[in-house]
Amino acid sequence: MEQVIGKAQKTRVRYGMLALVFINVVINYLDRSNLSVAASSLSKDLELSPVEMGYIFSAFGWTYAVLQIPGGLVADRFGPRILYAFCLITWSVATVCQGFARGFASLFALRLATGMFEAPSYPINNRIVTSWFPDNERAAATAMYVSGQFIGLASLTPVLVTIQAYAGWKGLFVITGLVGLVWGVIWYLSYRDPLDHLGVNQAELEYIEKGGGLFRGKKTGTTHTSVWSWENIKLVFKGRTLWGVYIAQFAVNATLWFFLTWFPTYLVKYRGLDFIKSGYLASIPFLAACAGVLLSGFLSDKLVRKGWSVSAARKTPIIVGLILSTSIVGANYSTETAAIIFFMALSFFGAGMALISWVFVSLLSPKHLIGLTGGVFNFMGNLASIIVPIVIGYLAKDGDFKPALVFIGALGLLGACSYIFLVGKIERRA
């Protein structure tokens, strides 16, 4: 039964705002992963080698990772409504233009532009969830919007493959970019902060605030100039706990970026699967990852409600997930397609479990630096988007993909060790 505060039953506007963020994430990852679907045909038409494709896959991450800290600062300074609309529209324009790329240089530059304009997106997501949700619902809310990347890719990968089959890789980029342009306008018309939304009542605001939601004192989207100081930047780089979370996020994203970049090519080129068939098989690990992140989020919140310490309730599902992600190595010892997809799905299920790690940004960051801390967290994690595709390109250049999968599995183990040995007591920084 819906909790009643005073005489008024609280509204549930926060779930509507979460749904909007969920769709943002679907489109966000649609425009990150469309290149992986296009890669086989695109590399032939533009005559790109595996090493060159490794650099093309990584180009998004160069600007995306480097701009995470500025993106976090921008998320603290400007409101999600305007900033997210700007980001959606600009990265979608860059996506459309990728359909007209004529070679390595132009495609590389456009992927750099896509990463640049997407950079503030996850700090904004975290800022929105921190504003709209109390502490005891935040892991589940984080899991819900993070699941958008997997639900969207699982359901849309076969669609993307079909679009390319009929419209070519150029048409694929144009169509996915146009979707983002339209949604950018819808977002601007639909989203409001808690204090600005006409549909939210005082009971819901009190419920959010008493539970630790941060929207009072300053409106989301405004900040003091002190946020931009070097002292604040140093603050979010200090301490073993934060560094443990940062290192582990790199490991989680290593698995994620394998699936966002090389996975379809692995199935088609290195495992000899039919292109259309590979599109349907590729959706299975994404569904598994979605199940992992949802299970982890709701389980973590349930453990908190049962009286587990915050440290144990938040860290346990993540550690288990990172250990499971190492199972990707099992594909090296499999010849049957079903077994290969099983190990891939199990690995991505584990990585999905670990992706509730965004909840630590809300738990550990200073209250006035949530966006900045989220930017640093995402910067450290998304160094994987630069390093992993390039390393895989070099490891697989001679036609053997086995070393690449060992590399991904080893990083998963590193992430688990980081949470076990580096991340200590969970408490907010001053």
Side-chain angles (χ1 to χ4, degrees), residues 68-104:
Q68 281 307 294
I69 297 174
L73 290 167
V74 169
D76 278 331
R77 188 169 182 82
F78 299 101
R81 183 188 179 204
I82 295 175
L83 182 58
Y84 227 142
F86 172 80
C87 292
L88 277 159
I89 291 169
T90 49
W91 91 55
S92 296
V93 169
T95 299
V96 170
C97 291
Q98 287 170 54
F100 302 93
R102 296 192 175 187
F104 177 88

Side-chain angles (χ1 to χ4, degrees), residues 386-405:
I386 302 172
I387 296 169
V388 169
I390 294 174
V391 171
I392 290 176
Y394 279 103
L395 291 175
K397 68 178 181 179
D398 295 325
D400 184 3
F401 214 88
K402 291 181 180 179
L405 296 187

Side-chain angles (χ1 to χ4, degrees), residues 96-426:
V96 170
C97 291
Q98 287 170 54
F100 302 93
R102 296 192 175 187
F104 177 88
S106 59
L107 185 57
F108 188 85
L110 288 167
R111 293 300 290 182
L112 288 174
T114 306
M116 176 176 68
F117 292 122
E118 285 198 25
S121 57
Y122 261 66
I124 301 172
N125 293 342
N126 191 63
R127 177 75 259 181
I128 292 169
V129 168
T130 304
S131 298
W132 273 103
F133 285 85
D135 289 339
N136 66 345
E137 294 182 2
R138 203 166 292 153
T142 300
M144 285 299 296
Y145 80 70
V146 170
S147 72
Q149 65 198 56
F150 304 121
I151 293 175
L153 294 176
S155 59
L156 293 176
T157 295
V159 176
L160 296 180
V161 168
T162 303
I163 289 173
Q164 180 171 309
Y166 288 95
W169 61 268
K170 295 181 179 181
L172 176 64
F173 284 120
V174 172
I175 291 170
T176 52
L178 290 176
V179 169
L181 283 170
V182 173
W183 179 252
V185 176
I186 296 173
W187 165 266
Y188 180 78
L189 295 174
S190 303
Y191 179 80
R192 296 293 187 278
D193 288 330
L195 294 175
D196 297 327
H197 201 292
L198 297 178
V200 66
N201 66 6
Q202 188 61 32
E204 184 174 14
L205 289 176
E206 289 179 6
Y207 171 74
I208 294 169
E209 186 174 29
K210 288 179 180 178
L214 301 177
F215 62 83
R216 192 76 68 176
K218 67 179 182 72
K219 286 186 179 182
T220 303
T222 64
T223 188
H224 301 292
T225 56
S226 61
V227 170
W228 302 79
S229 69
W230 281 110
E231 289 74 16
N232 285 333
I233 292 175
K234 284 191 247 182
L235 182 62
V236 298
F237 274 104
K238 287 172 61 177
R240 188 185 73 177
T241 297
L242 281 173
W243 272 102
V245 172
Y246 295 157
I247 292 169
Q249 191 65 8
F250 177 92
V252 174
N253 278 8
T255 303
L256 173 64
W257 278 95
F258 162 72
F259 282 96
L260 289 178
T261 56
W262 281 102
F263 181 49
T265 300
Y266 168 72
L267 293 180
V268 173
K269 184 175 179 179
Y270 295 90
R271 288 297 189 170
L273 299 184
D274 173 78
F275 179 71
I276 297 293
K277 182 179 180 181
S278 72
Y280 287 92
L281 291 175
S283 69
I284 296 174
F286 286 103
L287 287 172
C290 176
V293 71
L294 291 174
L295 172 65
S296 183
F298 287 100
L299 174 62
S300 181
D301 279 348
K302 185 175 181 179
L303 293 176
V304 170
R305 290 192 292 270
K306 282 184 170 292
W308 283 44
S309 70
V310 172
S311 293
R314 300 311 191 197
K315 287 194 293 185
T316 300
I318 295 174
I319 293 169
V320 171
L322 282 163
I323 292 172
L324 284 176
S325 74
T326 65
S327 62
I328 196 170
V329 178
N332 284 342
Y333 305 96
S334 307
T335 56
E336 297 294 325
T337 299
I340 293 167
I341 296 300
F342 168 77
F343 283 114
M344 292 289 164
L346 182 61
S347 174
F348 214 8
F349 172 83
M353 288 187 68
L355 276 170
I356 67 160
S357 49
W358 265 98
V359 75
F360 285 104
V361 176
S362 299
L363 292 171
L364 296 171
S365 64
K367 291 183 178 181
H368 65 298
L369 297 176
I370 292 172
L372 176 58
T373 310
V376 173
F377 174 82
N378 217 19
F379 164 73
M380 300 299 290
N382 277 283
L383 288 176
S385 67
I386 302 172
I387 296 169
V388 169
I390 294 174
V391 171
I392 290 176
Y394 279 103
L395 291 175
K397 68 178 181 179
D398 295 325
D400 184 3
F401 214 88
K402 291 181 180 179
L405 296 187
V406 172
F407 169 65
I408 299 299
L411 288 177
L413 183 60
L414 172 66
C417 290
S418 184
Y419 268 105
I420 294 169
F421 299 111
L422 289 180
V423 179
K425 184 179 179 181
I426 303 302

